Amino acid sequence: MGGDVRYEIGQNAYIKLVLHALNHKTSAVNGLLLGRLSANNNDVVEITESVPLFHSQIGLLPPLEIALIQIEEFYRAQGLDIVGYFHANERFDDIELGNVARNIGDHIHRYFPQAALLLLDNKKLEALSKGKDRSPVVQLYTRDSSKSWKQVGSDGSSRLAIKEPSANVVLLDYISSQKWQDIVDFDDHLDDISKDWLNPELFK
């Protein structure tokens, strides 16, 4: 599966993950993608929400398992499933999909065969801030029949679309106002449970 599946990500889900990466520029970060198969087309995965996970020791299993259980329970009540994974590497110029991302992706793929992996592309993010490129600032990976994660196209743009065309304009506005400082991830929540990983105030 995943051969011809297309992915449509909502503006807020997309922006939240990029802001999470910007909030922790010197460390790797990750997040979960939530959504469902389109009611009209089983070849379209609608990514409607995202949850920033960790920015320190992101390969540790116990906190990840706690996060997966809590997030799954919360969103299942809303009819959403975990449909993919987001990763940003520690080094600015590193656009390789590492083992941590692949392993978590494999885990999600077992439950949702059309799972997507999104990897932040800092060069695209930089081009965006210079007004040169308006495509998503992430690379799309899907898992094929060989059981390995493959990058989809050179930019993945034909198979990954942002639902709202102006999302990158809004993203640039949030970057210029340093909105990324407001992001709470699951790491922050585990340190201080009064911090809400749902980020209810972020887009108000």
Side-chain angles (χ1 to χ4, degrees):
M1 295 190 83
D4 297 303
V5 177
R6 289 182 295 116
Y7 301 87
E8 192 174 83
I9 186 166
Q11 175 173 294
N12 287 1
Y14 167 74
I15 288 175
K16 200 189 296 181
L17 293 171
V18 179
L19 291 179
H20 182 219
L22 288 170
N23 197 19
H24 302 283
K25 284 182 179 154
T26 55
S27 58
V29 306
N30 60 2
L32 290 177
L33 309 173
L34 295 117
R36 59 170 76 88
L37 285 174
S38 167
N40 307 320
N41 185 346
N42 272 353
D43 286 333
V44 176
V45 176
E46 297 172 343
I47 302 165
T48 56
E49 189 52 272
S50 64
V51 177
L53 284 177
F54 302 109
H55 60 267
S56 66
Q57 301 173 310
I58 64 172
L60 283 183
L61 266 179
L64 176 64
E65 286 172 348
I66 293 168
L68 285 170
I69 290 165
Q70 280 197 36
I71 292 163
E72 204 165 35
E73 277 182 4
F74 180 86
Y75 283 105
R76 185 158 285 161
Q78 301 181 22
L80 299 178
D81 290 306
I82 296 171
V83 297
Y85 173 78
F86 170 84
H87 194 94
N89 287 321
E90 185 173 356
R91 289 201 337 272
F92 180 88
D93 57 351
D94 184 358
I95 48 169
E96 291 298 311
L97 195 67
N99 286 335
V100 169
R102 291 174 193 273
N103 290 343
I104 297 174
D106 287 345
H107 176 77
I108 295 168
H109 180 271
R110 281 204 291 275
Y111 300 95
F112 190 79
Q114 303 92 332
L117 278 186
L118 300 181
L119 181 68
L120 182 70
D121 186 334
N122 279 303
K123 290 194 170 64
K124 283 190 143 193
L125 187 56
E126 202 172 45
L128 174 71
S129 63
K130 291 173 181 161
K132 290 178 180 168
D133 190 356
R134 287 292 155 94
S135 62
V137 297
V138 290
Q139 294 178 356
L140 170 66
Y141 288 78
T142 57
R143 210 175 104 155
D144 59 14
S145 52
S146 70
K147 297 190 175 173
S148 60
W149 292 94
K150 296 253 171 36
Q151 189 178 342
V152 179
S154 59
D155 59 2
S157 57
S158 58
R159 296 258 308 273
L160 174 69
I162 306 172
K163 197 169 184 183
E164 296 86 347
S166 60
N168 275 331
V169 177
V170 179
L171 173 61
L172 281 174
D173 187 43
Y174 281 153
I175 291 171
S176 65
S177 63
Q178 300 191 339
K179 187 84 170 165
W180 36 265
Q181 293 178 342
D182 300 334
I183 281 275
V184 172
D185 65 11
F186 222 86
D187 247 344
D188 299 322
H189 172 72
L190 290 175
D191 286 340
D192 176 357
I193 58 166
S194 71
K195 293 184 175 176
D196 192 344
W197 54 267
L198 289 167
N199 288 283
E201 303 297 316
L202 188 66
F203 296 111
K204 287 187 177 170

